[in-house]
Every structure is written in structure tokens, then in C-alpha cells.
Amino acid sequence: MRLIRFLILLLLPVFLIAQNEPVIEVGCFNIEWFPCKEDGQMMQKYGINLRNPPRGNPTDVPALFQLLKELDIELLGVVEIVDTDLFARKAKEYLGPQYEFVYAPSKSSQKVGFLYDSSVLELKEAPQVYMDVALNPDSWLRPALRGYFKYKPAGFDFHAIIVHLKAAPSGWKIRKKQWQALEKIITDLKENSGDKDIILMGDFNNVSRLGYKEFIPRIDKWNFYWATHELLEDSLVTNYWQPDYTKQYIQGSLIDQIFISDDAKFEMVPNSIKVGGVCAEGRKSYEGPHLPEFYEKISDHCPVFVSFKADVDND
């Protein structure tokens, strides 16, 4: 099965070029505490005072944006952005002046937002911040952010929603309430927006004993396609975590997800889900004194993205 999928992914770009069909890639990326990463002293300069501050290095900004340049993703939902101004400036510096960044203001030190290529995609209306996902206006949880994008000059238009739900196994009680808030958002969009093409993505932190069952009942109810399930079928992961901070050992999991409404699945290019960075190597774990450079320099998560036919809009 994995060999077949590999051959499909290998041949797919050639097929699309041969057919001269424009495509866009849409994805999400948890960029660990950008630009602090594991630099506890830098975090304190941003007013972040963790109980046990890390003692590692900050984000390798050139390495991060070189990766994004190589991936060339037209719309990237990002989370854990601490310095939004720096992120926006560096995006233009490294990727080009056409790259725009919008984010959801909140009390959280970690912001969620969208980085997009404005020469390819138009943001049709002001982004909407959903504080309901943060559960109350004064919460330190992250809100969700929605953008309504359209391929230029005419083509696929869709709602993109980026989220970063509460972390930790014990956070399931909170995540359950956040999923309830998301259900209201999805229902409202389907019934009242006039466009049922919806892409829901981000870091869902499905790390309780329920695992994927945290969200499967809801996405089934909404008739959404769990696109990142294809990564699971290929034994790929989207992030690495350290079970024991006294040991040089990290193991992979799949908590960064992309869900696609049944309407938007018409525009999705089949078998096009990909994961970048160190996760693309397909290893379940790493150990020893030298962990992967990506993990050390950029993030403990990897970008996940999927392709859509850009000049098609079936709704």
C-alpha cells in the first residue's frame, strides 16, 4: 500500500503539469514558540515566564524560511507565533513582498494566523477571530481564526480555519469544550455563509487515551474528510515529543490535522497530503546525543499540507 501511494505521489506532479492544471497547497505548521523556540531568556524578554524555562536555542530564522521557500505553500496556517511583527517582516524578506500575514489578537503569548501568497490568493473579507474556542474573552487559550480566500483571478474559494487546542492528556476536558465551540462555527458556516468549502486545520493535541476518537465522531457528523489520515496509513508522524526530559530520546505522533468538508473535497487533489521537514523521513523516533537539526533549529512539529485544484470551484 505504501509503495503504491509513493508511486502515485511521485507521478502526480508530472500528471498535473502535463494537464496544465494550476494547483494551490494549503497547510498548517506549529512553529514552536517562534522566535524563542527553547530559549528561556528570550521568552522572558517577551514577558513569558514559564515555571521551568527551557535552556536551549532560539529559532534558526534563516533555516525556517529557507524551508518555507522550498515548500512554496500558498496558504499556511501557523500557530505558536510569539513575535507576529518579526514573523511578518521575515516572511517578506525571505519569501517575497507578496507574502502577507494575518493573525488573531488574544491574551495568549502564542498567536495563530495565516501566511499567504497574495499574488495567488485573495483574502476576500476581514479575518474572523473566534474567541469561543478560547472559551472566554479573558482566557490564555488560543482563539481560532478564519479567513475566506479565493484563487486569483477566478477559481477555488474557501474558508480556512486555523486552531491550536489545549495541550496535554489532562487537557481533554477543555478540548472537548473547544470542539463543541468548533461545531457551532462549522454549522453556522455551512448554513449561513453561502460557501460550504471549509478547511479546518492546526494542532489539535489529540493526546488523551481517546487519541483520534477525540475528533472522529464530530468530523463524521459534519461529513468532513480526515485528510491527515492518509499520513497515518503511511506510518508518518507530524511532530516529535520527549517522553522523558532527562533522556536524549524523541518519538513521533500525529496531532497536526487537516479536515476538509465534503464540498471542498471535490477540489482536493487525490493522494496529495504531504508532511515536510524531518517528519518526511518517516522515522518513528530518534535517540542519542545528536537529535535531528530540524528538531533542534526549527520546531518540534512539521508542516502538513494538501493540494487543491485552483481553477475549479464546484459550489
Side-chain angles (χ1 to χ4, degrees), residues 251-264:
Q251 68 182 46
S253 63
L254 201 161
I255 61 176
D256 305 273
Q257 311 291 350
I258 300 177
F259 306 110
I260 300 171
S261 67
D262 50 354
D263 288 75

PDB file of all heavy atoms in Angstrom, residues 251-264:
ATOM      1  N   GLN A 251      10.014  10.807  20.267  1.00  0.00           N
ATOM      2  CA  GLN A 251       9.187   9.884  19.484  1.00  0.00           C
ATOM      3  C   GLN A 251       8.078  10.651  18.783  1.00  0.00           C
ATOM      4  O   GLN A 251       7.659  11.722  19.235  1.00  0.00           O
ATOM      5  CB  GLN A 251       8.617   8.779  20.360  1.00  0.00           C
ATOM      6  CG  GLN A 251       7.604   9.204  21.378  1.00  0.00           C
ATOM      7  CD  GLN A 251       7.132   8.026  22.239  1.00  0.00           C
ATOM      8  OE1 GLN A 251       7.940   7.227  22.725  1.00  0.00           O
ATOM      9  NE2 GLN A 251       5.833   7.927  22.441  1.00  0.00           N
ATOM     10  N   GLY A 252       7.622  10.100  17.699  1.00  0.00           N
ATOM     11  CA  GLY A 252       6.675  10.800  16.856  1.00  0.00           C
ATOM     12  C   GLY A 252       5.226  10.524  17.200  1.00  0.00           C
ATOM     13  O   GLY A 252       4.888   9.495  17.784  1.00  0.00           O
ATOM     14  N   SER A 253       4.375  11.469  16.832  1.00  0.00           N
ATOM     15  CA  SER A 253       2.928  11.293  16.933  1.00  0.00           C
ATOM     16  C   SER A 253       2.269  12.116  15.840  1.00  0.00           C
ATOM     17  O   SER A 253       2.932  12.899  15.151  1.00  0.00           O
ATOM     18  CB  SER A 253       2.413  11.704  18.318  1.00  0.00           C
ATOM     19  OG  SER A 253       2.642  13.089  18.541  1.00  0.00           O
ATOM     20  N   LEU A 254       0.955  11.945  15.696  1.00  0.00           N
ATOM     21  CA  LEU A 254       0.220  12.671  14.657  1.00  0.00           C
ATOM     22  C   LEU A 254      -0.887  13.472  15.333  1.00  0.00           C
ATOM     23  O   LEU A 254      -1.972  12.960  15.604  1.00  0.00           O
ATOM     24  CB  LEU A 254      -0.358  11.685  13.638  1.00  0.00           C
ATOM     25  CG  LEU A 254      -0.720  12.237  12.250  1.00  0.00           C
ATOM     26  CD1 LEU A 254      -0.831  11.104  11.243  1.00  0.00           C
ATOM     27  CD2 LEU A 254      -2.024  13.028  12.277  1.00  0.00           C
ATOM     28  N   ILE A 255      -0.581  14.735  15.631  1.00  0.00           N
ATOM     29  CA  ILE A 255      -1.554  15.607  16.292  1.00  0.00           C
ATOM     30  C   ILE A 255      -1.858  16.864  15.481  1.00  0.00           C
ATOM     31  O   ILE A 255      -2.732  17.648  15.865  1.00  0.00           O
ATOM     32  CB  ILE A 255      -1.103  15.998  17.718  1.00  0.00           C
ATOM     33  CG1 ILE A 255       0.218  16.761  17.685  1.00  0.00           C
ATOM     34  CG2 ILE A 255      -0.986  14.758  18.594  1.00  0.00           C
ATOM     35  CD1 ILE A 255       0.650  17.257  19.053  1.00  0.00           C
ATOM     36  N   ASP A 256      -1.157  17.051  14.373  1.00  0.00           N
ATOM     37  CA  ASP A 256      -1.443  18.177  13.468  1.00  0.00           C
ATOM     38  C   ASP A 256      -2.332  17.631  12.364  1.00  0.00           C
ATOM     39  O   ASP A 256      -1.935  16.724  11.632  1.00  0.00           O
ATOM     40  CB  ASP A 256      -0.149  18.739  12.896  1.00  0.00           C
ATOM     41  CG  ASP A 256       0.837  19.124  13.993  1.00  0.00           C
ATOM     42  OD1 ASP A 256       0.755  20.251  14.488  1.00  0.00           O
ATOM     43  OD2 ASP A 256       1.665  18.260  14.366  1.00  0.00           O
ATOM     44  N   GLN A 257      -3.528  18.200  12.259  1.00  0.00           N
ATOM     45  CA  GLN A 257      -4.544  17.596  11.395  1.00  0.00           C
ATOM     46  C   GLN A 257      -5.066  18.583  10.354  1.00  0.00           C
ATOM     47  O   GLN A 257      -5.049  19.805  10.571  1.00  0.00           O
ATOM     48  CB  GLN A 257      -5.728  17.101  12.234  1.00  0.00           C
ATOM     49  CG  GLN A 257      -5.370  16.268  13.447  1.00  0.00           C
ATOM     50  CD  GLN A 257      -4.807  14.898  13.118  1.00  0.00           C
ATOM     51  OE1 GLN A 257      -4.829  14.460  11.969  1.00  0.00           O
ATOM     52  NE2 GLN A 257      -4.319  14.190  14.127  1.00  0.00           N
ATOM     53  N   ILE A 258      -5.567  18.029   9.255  1.00  0.00           N
ATOM     54  CA  ILE A 258      -6.309  18.794   8.250  1.00  0.00           C
ATOM     55  C   ILE A 258      -7.609  18.049   7.979  1.00  0.00           C
ATOM     56  O   ILE A 258      -7.592  16.858   7.646  1.00  0.00           O
ATOM     57  CB  ILE A 258      -5.516  18.956   6.942  1.00  0.00           C
ATOM     58  CG1 ILE A 258      -4.193  19.689   7.198  1.00  0.00           C
ATOM     59  CG2 ILE A 258      -6.351  19.723   5.913  1.00  0.00           C
ATOM     60  CD1 ILE A 258      -3.319  19.820   5.956  1.00  0.00           C
ATOM     61  N   PHE A 259      -8.725  18.751   8.137  1.00  0.00           N
ATOM     62  CA  PHE A 259     -10.057  18.202   7.866  1.00  0.00           C
ATOM     63  C   PHE A 259     -10.689  19.025   6.744  1.00  0.00           C
ATOM     64  O   PHE A 259     -10.628  20.264   6.760  1.00  0.00           O
ATOM     65  CB  PHE A 259     -10.934  18.266   9.114  1.00  0.00           C
ATOM     66  CG  PHE A 259     -10.331  17.616  10.336  1.00  0.00           C
ATOM     67  CD1 PHE A 259      -9.913  18.382  11.413  1.00  0.00           C
ATOM     68  CD2 PHE A 259     -10.180  16.244  10.409  1.00  0.00           C
ATOM     69  CE1 PHE A 259      -9.355  17.801  12.535  1.00  0.00           C
ATOM     70  CE2 PHE A 259      -9.632  15.645  11.534  1.00  0.00           C
ATOM     71  CZ  PHE A 259      -9.213  16.422  12.603  1.00  0.00           C
ATOM     72  N   ILE A 260     -11.332  18.347   5.806  1.00  0.00           N
ATOM     73  CA  ILE A 260     -11.854  19.006   4.612  1.00  0.00           C
ATOM     74  C   ILE A 260     -13.336  18.685   4.451  1.00  0.00           C
ATOM     75  O   ILE A 260     -13.725  17.509   4.487  1.00  0.00           O
ATOM     76  CB  ILE A 260     -11.071  18.549   3.358  1.00  0.00           C
ATOM     77  CG1 ILE A 260      -9.585  18.900   3.526  1.00  0.00           C
ATOM     78  CG2 ILE A 260     -11.631  19.179   2.095  1.00  0.00           C
ATOM     79  CD1 ILE A 260      -8.699  18.301   2.459  1.00  0.00           C
ATOM     80  N   SER A 261     -14.157  19.704   4.276  1.00  0.00           N
ATOM     81  CA  SER A 261     -15.594  19.485   4.106  1.00  0.00           C
ATOM     82  C   SER A 261     -15.854  18.688   2.837  1.00  0.00           C
ATOM     83  O   SER A 261     -15.047  18.676   1.901  1.00  0.00           O
ATOM     84  CB  SER A 261     -16.340  20.819   4.054  1.00  0.00           C
ATOM     85  OG  SER A 261     -16.003  21.539   2.883  1.00  0.00           O
ATOM     86  N   ASP A 262     -17.009  18.013   2.814  1.00  0.00           N
ATOM     87  CA  ASP A 262     -17.323  17.186   1.648  1.00  0.00           C
ATOM     88  C   ASP A 262     -17.368  18.018   0.372  1.00  0.00           C
ATOM     89  O   ASP A 262     -17.009  17.539  -0.704  1.00  0.00           O
ATOM     90  CB  ASP A 262     -18.630  16.422   1.861  1.00  0.00           C
ATOM     91  CG  ASP A 262     -19.777  17.304   2.327  1.00  0.00           C
ATOM     92  OD1 ASP A 262     -19.549  18.496   2.599  1.00  0.00           O
ATOM     93  OD2 ASP A 262     -20.906  16.795   2.437  1.00  0.00           O
ATOM     94  N   ASP A 263     -17.796  19.286   0.459  1.00  0.00           N
ATOM     95  CA  ASP A 263     -17.824  20.151  -0.728  1.00  0.00           C
ATOM     96  C   ASP A 263     -16.406  20.454  -1.220  1.00  0.00           C
ATOM     97  O   ASP A 263     -16.130  20.409  -2.426  1.00  0.00           O
ATOM     98  CB  ASP A 263     -18.549  21.464  -0.413  1.00  0.00           C
ATOM     99  CG  ASP A 263     -20.040  21.273  -0.257  1.00  0.00           C
ATOM    100  OD1 ASP A 263     -20.459  20.748   0.803  1.00  0.00           O
ATOM    101  OD2 ASP A 263     -20.784  21.620  -1.175  1.00  0.00           O
ATOM    102  N   ALA A 264     -15.497  20.786  -0.278  1.00  0.00           N
ATOM    103  CA  ALA A 264     -14.125  21.124  -0.667  1.00  0.00           C
ATOM    104  C   ALA A 264     -13.353  19.914  -1.168  1.00  0.00           C
ATOM    105  O   ALA A 264     -12.363  20.064  -1.898  1.00  0.00           O
ATOM    106  CB  ALA A 264     -13.392  21.758   0.516  1.00  0.00           C
TER     107      ALA A 264
END
